[in-house]
Coordinates of all heavy atoms in Angstrom, one line a residue:
M1 N 0.9 -1.2 0.0 CA -0.1 0.0 0.0 C 0.9 1.2 0.0 O 1.9 1.3 0.6 CB -0.9 -0.1 1.3 CG -2.0 -1.0 1.2 SD -3.0 -0.4 2.5 CE -4.6 -1.2 1.9
S2 N 0.4 2.2 -0.7 CA 1.1 3.5 -0.7 C 0.5 4.5 0.2 O -0.7 4.4 0.6 CB 1.3 4.1 -2.1 OG 0.0 4.5 -2.5
D3 N 1.2 5.6 0.5 CA 0.7 6.6 1.4 C 0.0 7.7 0.5 O -0.3 8.7 1.0 CB 1.8 7.3 2.1 CG 2.3 6.4 3.2 OD1 1.6 5.5 3.7 OD2 3.6 6.4 3.6
E4 N -0.1 7.5 -0.8 CA -0.7 8.5 -1.7 C -2.0 9.1 -1.3 O -2.1 10.2 -1.1 CB -0.9 7.9 -3.1 CG -1.3 8.9 -4.1 CD -0.2 9.8 -4.6 OE1 1.0 9.5 -4.4 OE2 -0.5 10.9 -5.1
P5 N -3.0 8.3 -0.9 CA -4.3 8.8 -0.5 C -4.2 9.7 0.8 O -4.8 10.7 1.0 CB -5.2 7.6 -0.2 CG -4.5 6.5 -1.1 CD -3.1 6.8 -1.1
R6 N -3.4 9.2 1.7 CA -3.2 9.9 2.9 C -2.6 11.3 2.8 O -3.0 12.2 3.5 CB -2.4 9.0 3.9 CG -2.2 9.6 5.3 CD -1.5 8.7 6.1 NE -1.5 9.2 7.5 CZ -1.8 8.6 8.6 NH1 -2.2 7.3 8.4 NH2 -1.9 9.2 9.8
K7 N -1.6 11.4 1.9 CA -1.0 12.6 1.7 C -2.0 13.6 0.9 O -1.9 14.9 1.3 CB 0.2 12.5 0.7 CG 1.4 11.9 1.4 CD 2.6 11.8 0.6 CE 3.7 11.1 1.3 NZ 4.9 10.8 0.3
R8 N -2.7 13.2 0.1 CA -3.7 13.9 -0.6 C -4.7 14.5 0.3 O -5.2 15.6 0.2 CB -4.3 13.2 -1.8 CG -3.9 13.6 -3.1 CD -4.7 13.1 -4.2 NE -4.1 11.9 -4.7 CZ -4.6 10.9 -5.2 NH1 -5.8 10.8 -5.4 NH2 -3.8 9.8 -5.7
S9 N -5.2 13.7 1.3 CA -6.2 14.1 2.2 C -5.7 15.3 3.1 O -6.6 16.1 3.7 CB -6.7 12.8 3.1 OG -5.6 12.5 3.9
R10 N -4.5 15.3 3.3 CA -3.9 16.4 4.1 C -3.5 17.7 3.4 O -3.3 18.7 4.0 CB -2.6 16.0 4.8 CG -3.0 14.9 5.9 CD -1.6 14.6 6.6 NE -1.9 13.4 7.5 CZ -1.0 12.8 8.0 NH1 0.2 13.1 7.9 NH2 -1.3 11.8 8.8
A11 N -3.7 17.7 2.1 CA -3.4 18.9 1.3 C -4.3 20.0 1.5 O -3.9 21.2 1.5 CB -3.4 18.4 -0.2
W12 N -5.5 19.8 2.0 CA -6.5 20.9 2.2 C -6.1 21.8 3.3 O -6.4 22.9 3.3 CB -7.9 20.3 2.5 CG -8.0 19.6 3.8 CD1 -7.7 18.3 4.1 CD2 -8.3 20.1 5.1 NE1 -7.9 18.1 5.4 CE2 -8.3 19.1 6.1 CE3 -8.5 21.4 5.5 CZ2 -8.5 19.4 7.4 CZ3 -8.8 21.7 6.9 CH2 -8.7 20.7 7.7
I13 N -5.2 21.3 4.1 CA -4.7 22.2 5.3 C -3.7 23.1 4.7 O -3.9 24.3 5.1 CB -3.9 21.3 6.3 CG1 -4.9 20.2 6.9 CG2 -3.2 22.1 7.4 CD1 -4.3 19.3 7.9
G14 N -2.9 22.8 3.8 CA -2.0 23.7 3.2 C -2.8 24.8 2.2 O -2.5 25.9 2.4
W15 N -3.8 24.3 1.6 CA -4.5 25.3 0.7 C -5.3 26.2 1.6 O -5.5 27.4 1.2 CB -5.4 24.4 -0.2 CG -4.6 23.9 -1.3 CD1 -4.3 22.6 -1.5 CD2 -3.8 24.5 -2.3 NE1 -3.5 22.3 -2.6 CE2 -3.3 23.5 -3.1 CE3 -3.7 25.9 -2.7 CZ2 -2.6 23.9 -4.2 CZ3 -3.0 26.2 -3.8 CH2 -2.4 25.2 -4.6
T16 N -5.8 25.7 2.7 CA -6.6 26.6 3.5 C -5.7 27.6 4.2 O -6.1 28.8 4.3 CB -7.2 25.8 4.7 OG1 -8.2 24.8 4.1 CG2 -8.1 26.6 5.6
A17 N -4.5 27.3 4.6 CA -3.6 28.2 5.2 C -3.2 29.2 4.3 O -3.0 30.4 4.5 CB -2.3 27.4 5.8
L18 N -2.9 28.8 2.9 CA -2.6 29.8 1.9 C -3.5 30.8 1.7 O -3.3 32.0 1.6 CB -2.2 29.0 0.6 CG -1.9 29.8 -0.6 CD1 -0.5 30.4 -0.5 CD2 -2.1 29.0 -1.9
T19 N -4.8 30.3 1.6 CA -6.0 31.2 1.4 C -6.1 32.2 2.5 O -6.3 33.4 2.3 CB -7.2 30.4 1.2 OG1 -7.1 29.5 0.0 CG2 -8.4 31.4 0.9
L20 N -6.1 31.8 3.7 CA -6.3 32.6 4.9 C -5.2 33.7 5.0 O -5.5 34.8 5.3 CB -6.5 31.8 6.1 CG -7.8 31.0 6.3 CD1 -7.8 30.2 7.4 CD2 -9.0 31.9 6.2
F21 N -4.0 33.2 5.0 CA -2.8 34.0 5.3 C -2.3 34.7 4.1 O -1.6 35.8 4.3 CB -1.8 33.3 6.0 CG -2.3 32.8 7.4 CD1 -2.5 31.3 7.6 CD2 -2.7 33.6 8.5 CE1 -2.9 31.0 8.7 CE2 -3.1 33.1 9.6 CZ -3.3 31.7 9.8
V22 N -2.5 34.4 2.9 CA -2.0 35.1 1.8 C -3.0 35.8 0.8 O -3.0 37.0 0.5 CB -1.0 34.2 0.9 CG1 -0.4 34.8 -0.3 CG2 0.1 33.7 1.9
L23 N -3.8 34.9 0.3 CA -4.8 35.4 -0.6 C -5.8 36.3 -0.1 O -6.3 37.2 -0.7 CB -5.4 34.2 -1.4 CG -4.5 33.3 -2.2 CD1 -5.2 32.1 -2.8 CD2 -3.7 34.1 -3.3
Y24 N -6.4 36.0 1.1 CA -7.4 36.8 1.7 C -6.9 38.3 1.9 O -7.7 39.2 1.4 CB -7.9 36.3 3.0 CG -9.0 37.1 3.8 CD1 -10.0 37.3 3.3 CD2 -8.4 37.6 5.0 CE1 -11.0 38.1 4.1 CE2 -9.3 38.3 5.7 CZ -10.5 38.6 5.3 OH -11.4 39.4 6.0
P25 N -5.8 38.6 2.5 CA -5.3 39.9 2.6 C -5.0 40.6 1.3 O -5.3 41.8 1.1 CB -4.1 39.9 3.5 CG -4.2 38.6 4.2 CD -5.0 37.6 3.3
L26 N -4.5 39.7 0.4 CA -4.2 40.3 -1.0 C -5.3 40.6 -1.7 O -5.2 41.4 -2.7 CB -3.2 39.4 -1.7 CG -1.7 39.2 -1.2 CD1 -1.0 38.2 -1.9 CD2 -1.1 40.5 -1.1
S27 N -6.4 40.1 -1.4 CA -7.7 40.4 -2.2 C -8.3 41.8 -1.9 O -9.1 42.3 -2.6 CB -8.7 39.3 -1.9 OG -9.2 39.4 -0.7
F28 N -7.8 42.4 -0.8 CA -8.3 43.6 -0.4 C -8.1 44.7 -1.3 O -8.8 45.6 -1.7 CB -7.8 43.9 1.0 CG -8.5 45.1 1.7 CD1 -10.0 45.0 2.0 CD2 -8.0 46.3 2.0 CE1 -10.6 46.0 2.5 CE2 -8.6 47.4 2.5 CZ -10.0 47.2 2.9
G29 N -6.8 44.7 -1.9 CA -6.4 45.8 -2.8 C -7.3 45.8 -4.1 O -7.8 46.9 -4.4
P30 N -7.6 44.6 -4.8 CA -8.4 44.7 -5.8 C -9.8 45.1 -5.6 O -10.5 45.7 -6.3 CB -8.4 43.3 -6.4 CG -7.0 42.8 -6.0 CD -6.8 43.4 -4.6
V31 N -10.3 44.7 -4.4 CA -11.6 45.1 -3.9 C -11.8 46.6 -3.8 O -12.7 47.2 -4.2 CB -12.1 44.4 -2.6 CG1 -13.2 44.9 -2.0 CG2 -12.2 42.9 -3.0
V32 N -10.8 47.3 -3.2 CA -10.8 48.7 -3.1 C -10.8 49.4 -4.5 O -11.6 50.3 -4.7 CB -9.5 49.1 -2.2 CG1 -9.3 50.7 -2.4 CG2 -9.6 48.7 -0.9
R33 N -10.0 48.9 -5.4 CA -10.0 49.4 -6.7 C -11.4 49.2 -7.4 O -12.0 50.1 -8.0 CB -9.0 48.8 -7.6 CG -8.9 49.5 -8.9 CD -7.6 49.2 -9.7 NE -7.5 49.9 -10.8 CZ -6.5 50.7 -11.2 NH1 -5.4 50.6 -10.4 NH2 -6.5 51.2 -12.3
F34 N -11.9 48.1 -7.3 CA -13.2 47.6 -7.8 C -14.3 48.6 -7.2 O -15.2 49.0 -7.9 CB -13.5 46.2 -7.6 CG -14.9 45.8 -8.1 CD1 -15.1 45.6 -9.5 CD2 -15.9 45.7 -7.2 CE1 -16.4 45.2 -9.9 CE2 -17.2 45.2 -7.7 CZ -17.4 45.0 -9.0
R35 N -14.2 48.9 -6.0 CA -15.3 49.8 -5.3 C -15.2 51.1 -5.8 O -16.3 51.8 -5.7 CB -15.1 49.6 -3.8 CG -16.1 50.3 -3.0 CD -16.0 50.0 -1.6 NE -17.1 50.7 -0.9 CZ -16.9 51.5 0.1 NH1 -15.7 51.8 0.6 NH2 -18.0 52.1 0.6
E36 N -14.1 51.6 -6.4 CA -14.0 53.0 -6.8 C -15.0 53.1 -8.1 O -15.5 54.1 -8.3 CB -12.6 53.3 -7.2 CG -11.7 53.6 -6.1 CD -10.3 53.9 -6.5 OE1 -10.1 54.0 -7.7 OE2 -9.4 54.0 -5.6
Y37 N -15.0 52.0 -8.9 CA -15.8 52.0 -10.1 C -17.2 51.4 -9.9 O -18.1 51.9 -10.7 CB -15.0 51.3 -11.3 CG -13.7 51.8 -11.5 CD1 -12.5 51.2 -11.1 CD2 -13.6 53.0 -12.2 CE1 -11.2 51.7 -11.5 CE2 -12.3 53.6 -12.5 CZ -11.1 53.0 -12.1 OH -9.9 53.4 -12.3
N38 N -17.3 50.5 -9.1 CA -18.7 50.0 -8.9 C -19.0 50.0 -7.5 O -18.5 49.1 -6.7 CB -18.8 48.5 -9.3 CG -18.4 48.4 -10.9 OD1 -19.0 49.2 -11.6 ND2 -17.7 47.5 -11.3
P39 N -19.7 51.0 -6.9 CA -19.9 51.1 -5.5 C -20.5 49.8 -4.9 O -21.6 49.4 -5.3 CB -20.8 52.3 -5.4 CG -20.6 53.0 -6.5 CD -20.3 52.1 -7.6
V40 N -19.9 49.3 -4.0 CA -20.4 48.2 -3.1 C -20.8 48.6 -1.8 O -20.1 49.5 -1.3 CB -19.3 47.0 -3.0 CG1 -19.9 45.8 -2.2 CG2 -18.9 46.6 -4.3
S41 N -21.9 48.1 -1.2 CA -22.3 48.6 0.0 C -21.2 48.5 1.0 O -20.4 47.5 1.1 CB -23.6 47.9 0.5 OG -23.3 46.5 0.9
F42 N -21.1 49.4 1.9 CA -20.0 49.5 3.0 C -20.3 48.1 3.9 O -19.3 47.6 4.3 CB -20.1 50.7 3.8 CG -19.1 50.7 4.9 CD1 -17.8 51.0 4.6 CD2 -19.6 50.6 6.2 CE1 -16.9 51.0 5.7 CE2 -18.6 50.5 7.2 CZ -17.3 50.7 7.0
E43 N -21.5 47.9 4.2 CA -21.8 46.8 5.1 C -21.2 45.4 4.5 O -20.9 44.6 5.3 CB -23.3 46.6 5.3 CG -23.9 47.8 6.1 CD -24.2 49.0 5.2 OE1 -24.4 48.8 4.0 OE2 -24.2 50.1 5.9
T44 N -21.3 45.3 3.2 CA -20.8 44.0 2.6 C -19.5 43.9 2.7 O -18.8 42.9 3.1 CB -21.2 44.0 1.0 OG1 -22.7 44.1 0.9 CG2 -20.7 42.8 0.4
M45 N -18.6 45.0 2.4 CA -17.2 45.0 2.5 C -16.7 44.8 4.0 O -15.8 44.1 4.3 CB -16.6 46.2 2.0 CG -16.4 46.2 0.4 SD -15.4 47.5 -0.1 CE -13.9 47.2 0.8
A46 N -17.5 45.6 4.9 CA -17.1 45.4 6.3 C -17.3 44.0 6.8 O -16.6 43.6 7.6 CB -18.0 46.5 7.1
S47 N -18.3 43.3 6.4 CA -18.6 42.0 6.9 C -17.6 41.1 6.3 O -17.1 40.1 7.1 CB -20.0 41.6 6.6 OG -20.2 41.4 5.2
I48 N -17.1 41.2 5.1 CA -16.2 40.3 4.6 C -14.8 40.5 5.1 O -14.0 39.6 5.4 CB -16.2 40.4 3.0 CG1 -17.5 40.0 2.4 CG2 -15.0 39.6 2.4 CD1 -17.6 40.2 1.1
Y49 N -14.4 41.8 5.3 CA -13.0 42.1 5.7 C -13.0 42.5 7.1 O -12.0 43.1 7.6 CB -12.4 43.2 4.8 CG -12.2 42.7 3.4 CD1 -13.1 42.9 2.4 CD2 -11.0 41.8 3.2 CE1 -12.9 42.3 1.1 CE2 -10.9 41.3 1.9 CZ -11.7 41.6 1.0 OH -11.5 41.1 -0.3
L50 N -14.0 42.2 8.0 CA -13.9 42.4 9.5 C -12.6 41.8 10.0 O -12.0 42.6 10.9 CB -15.2 42.0 10.1 CG -15.2 42.3 11.6 CD1 -15.2 43.9 11.9 CD2 -16.6 41.8 12.2
P51 N -12.4 40.5 9.9 CA -11.2 40.0 10.5 C -9.9 40.7 10.2 O -9.1 40.8 11.1 CB -11.2 38.5 10.0 CG -12.6 38.3 9.6 CD -13.2 39.5 9.1
L52 N -9.8 41.2 8.9 CA -8.6 41.8 8.6 C -8.6 43.2 9.2 O -7.5 43.6 9.7 CB -8.6 42.0 7.0 CG -7.2 42.6 6.4 CD1 -6.1 41.6 6.8 CD2 -7.4 42.6 4.9
E53 N -9.7 43.9 9.4 CA -9.8 45.2 10.0 C -9.4 45.1 11.6 O -8.7 45.9 12.1 CB -11.1 45.8 9.9 CG -11.1 47.1 10.6 CD -12.6 47.7 10.6 OE1 -13.5 47.3 9.8 OE2 -12.9 48.6 11.4
L54 N -10.0 44.0 12.2 CA -9.6 43.8 13.5 C -8.2 43.5 13.7 O -7.5 43.9 14.7 CB -10.5 42.7 14.1 CG -11.9 43.0 14.1 CD1 -12.7 41.7 14.6 CD2 -12.3 44.1 15.1
A55 N -7.5 42.7 12.9 CA -6.1 42.4 13.0 C -5.2 43.7 12.8 O -4.3 43.8 13.5 CB -5.8 41.3 11.9
T56 N -5.7 44.6 11.9 CA -4.8 45.8 11.7 C -5.0 46.7 12.9 O -4.1 47.5 13.1 CB -5.3 46.5 10.4 OG1 -6.6 46.8 10.5 CG2 -5.0 45.7 9.2
R57 N -6.1 46.7 13.6 CA -6.2 47.6 14.9 C -5.3 47.1 15.9 O -4.9 47.9 16.7 CB -7.7 47.4 15.4 CG -8.7 48.2 14.5 CD -10.1 48.1 15.1 NE -11.1 48.6 14.3 CZ -12.3 48.5 14.6 NH1 -12.7 47.9 15.8 NH2 -13.3 49.1 13.8
K58 N -5.0 45.8 15.9 CA -4.2 45.3 17.0 C -2.7 45.3 16.6 O -1.8 45.3 17.5 CB -4.5 43.8 17.4 CG -5.9 43.6 17.8 CD -6.0 43.9 19.2 CE -7.4 43.7 19.7 NZ -7.6 44.1 21.1
C59 N -2.4 45.4 15.4 CA -1.0 45.2 14.9 C -0.7 46.4 14.0 O -1.0 46.4 12.8 CB -0.8 43.8 14.2 SG 0.9 43.6 13.6
E60 N 0.1 47.2 14.5 CA 0.5 48.5 13.8 C 1.3 48.2 12.5 O 1.1 48.7 11.5 CB 1.4 49.4 14.7 CG 1.8 50.7 14.1 CD 0.6 51.7 13.8 OE1 -0.4 51.6 14.4 OE2 0.8 52.6 12.9
P61 N 2.3 47.3 12.6 CA 3.0 47.0 11.3 C 2.1 46.5 10.2 O 2.3 46.7 9.1 CB 4.1 46.0 11.8 CG 4.3 46.3 13.1 CD 3.0 46.7 13.7
L62 N 1.2 45.7 10.6 CA 0.2 45.2 9.6 C -0.6 46.2 9.0 O -0.9 46.2 7.8 CB -0.6 44.0 10.3 CG -1.6 43.3 9.3 CD1 -1.1 42.7 8.4 CD2 -2.5 42.4 10.2
R63 N -1.1 47.2 10.0 CA -1.8 48.2 9.4 C -1.1 49.1 8.3 O -1.6 49.5 7.3 CB -2.4 49.2 10.5 CG -3.2 50.3 10.1 CD -3.6 51.4 11.0 NE -2.4 52.1 11.6 CZ -1.8 53.0 10.9 NH1 -2.2 53.3 9.8 NH2 -0.7 53.6 11.4
R64 N 0.2 49.4 8.7 CA 1.0 50.2 7.8 C 1.3 49.4 6.5 O 1.2 50.0 5.4 CB 2.4 50.5 8.4 CG 2.2 51.6 9.3 CD 3.6 52.1 9.9 NE 3.8 51.3 11.1 CZ 5.0 50.8 11.4 NH1 6.0 51.0 10.8 NH2 5.1 50.1 12.5
A65 N 1.5 48.1 6.5 CA 1.6 47.4 5.3 C 0.4 47.3 4.5 O 0.4 47.5 3.2 CB 2.1 45.9 5.7
L66 N -0.8 47.2 5.1 CA -2.1 47.2 4.4 C -2.3 48.5 3.8 O -2.8 48.6 2.7 CB -3.2 46.7 5.3 CG -4.5 46.5 4.6 CD1 -4.4 45.3 3.5 CD2 -5.6 46.1 5.5
D67 N -2.0 49.6 4.5 CA -2.2 50.9 4.0 C -1.3 51.1 2.8 O -1.8 51.7 1.7 CB -1.9 52.0 5.0 CG -2.9 52.1 6.1 OD1 -4.0 51.6 5.9 OD2 -2.6 52.8 7.1
W68 N -0.1 50.7 2.8 CA 0.8 50.8 1.7 C 0.3 50.0 0.5 O 0.2 50.4 -0.7 CB 2.2 50.3 2.0 CG 3.1 50.1 0.9 CD1 3.9 51.1 0.4 CD2 3.5 48.9 0.2 NE1 4.6 50.6 -0.7 CE2 4.4 49.2 -0.8 CE3 3.0 47.6 0.3 CZ2 4.9 48.3 -1.7 CZ3 3.5 46.7 -0.6 CH2 4.4 47.0 -1.6
Y69 N -0.2 48.8 0.8 CA -0.7 47.9 -0.4 C -2.0 48.6 -1.0 O -2.1 48.5 -2.2 CB -1.0 46.6 0.2 CG -1.6 45.5 -0.8 CD1 -0.7 45.2 -1.8 CD2 -2.9 45.1 -0.6 CE1 -1.2 44.2 -2.7 CE2 -3.4 44.2 -1.6 CZ -2.5 43.7 -2.6 OH -3.0 42.9 -3.6
I70 N -2.8 49.1 -0.2 CA -4.0 49.8 -0.8 C -3.7 51.0 -1.6 O -4.2 51.2 -2.7 CB -5.0 50.2 0.4 CG1 -5.6 49.0 1.1 CG2 -6.0 51.1 -0.1 CD1 -6.3 49.3 2.3
K71 N -2.7 51.7 -1.2 CA -2.2 52.9 -2.1 C -1.8 52.4 -3.4 O -1.8 53.1 -4.4 CB -1.1 53.7 -1.4 CG -1.6 54.5 -0.3 CD -0.5 55.1 0.4 CE -1.0 55.9 1.7 NZ 0.1 56.4 2.5
L72 N -1.1 51.1 -3.5 CA -0.8 50.6 -4.8 C -1.9 50.4 -5.8 O -1.8 50.6 -7.0 CB 0.0 49.3 -4.6 CG 1.3 49.4 -4.0 CD1 1.8 47.8 -3.8 CD2 2.3 50.2 -4.7
W73 N -3.1 50.1 -5.2 CA -4.2 49.8 -6.0 C -5.1 51.1 -6.4 O -6.0 51.0 -7.2 CB -5.1 48.8 -5.3 CG -4.6 47.4 -5.5 CD1 -3.7 46.8 -4.6 CD2 -4.8 46.5 -6.5 NE1 -3.4 45.5 -5.1 CE2 -3.9 45.3 -6.3 CE3 -5.5 46.6 -7.7 CZ2 -3.9 44.3 -7.2 CZ3 -5.4 45.5 -8.6 CH2 -4.7 44.4 -8.3
K74 N -5.0 52.1 -5.6 CA -5.8 53.3 -5.8 C -5.2 54.1 -7.0 O -4.0 54.1 -7.3 CB -5.9 54.2 -4.6 CG -6.8 53.6 -3.6 CD -7.0 54.7 -2.5 CE -8.0 54.2 -1.5 NZ -8.4 55.2 -0.6
D75 N -6.1 54.8 -7.8 CA -5.6 55.6 -8.9 C -4.8 56.9 -8.3 O -5.2 57.5 -7.4 CB -6.8 56.0 -9.8 CG -7.2 54.8 -10.7 OD1 -6.4 54.0 -10.9 OD2 -8.3 54.9 -11.1

């Protein structure tokens, strides 16, 4: 027997971590730009990005990094 099925079943952990810690914060920049052209309700954005906002309130370096990243996406 090989360990192939067992290794594949654990791959979701890596993909989940990638999504949460990399892709989720990086998606905020395009959303800010998209919101400039197509207004989205503030409540919708606030509910989706609330965890990111709370994290930036607690961590000053994270807030500065996110502010810098948002400026890259604004016109």
Side-chain angles (χ1 to χ4, degrees):
M1 287 196 158
S2 75
D3 291 330
E4 184 79 24
R6 186 179 185 125
K7 287 181 184 177
R8 252 190 264 151
S9 65
R10 292 183 187 169
W12 69 271
I13 296 170
W15 287 110
T16 302
L18 176 73
T19 301
L20 288 176
F21 297 112
V22 177
L23 298 180
Y24 173 69
L26 290 178
S27 70
F28 192 64
V31 166
V32 168
R33 183 165 188 133
F34 176 77
R35 188 167 181 236
E36 289 178 3
Y37 299 107
N38 298 318
V40 178
S41 72
F42 177 76
E43 293 82 21
T44 302
M45 278 192 57
S47 64
I48 293 172
Y49 289 100
L50 180 64
L52 190 58
E53 180 186 343
L54 294 175
T56 58
R57 287 183 188 175
K58 299 282 184 182
C59 181
E60 181 67 23
L62 180 61
R63 186 189 61 78
R64 281 185 272 142
L66 190 62
D67 287 345
W68 171 81
Y69 181 66
I70 289 170
K71 286 178 186 176
L72 294 176
W73 283 93
K74 285 190 173 184
D75 282 338

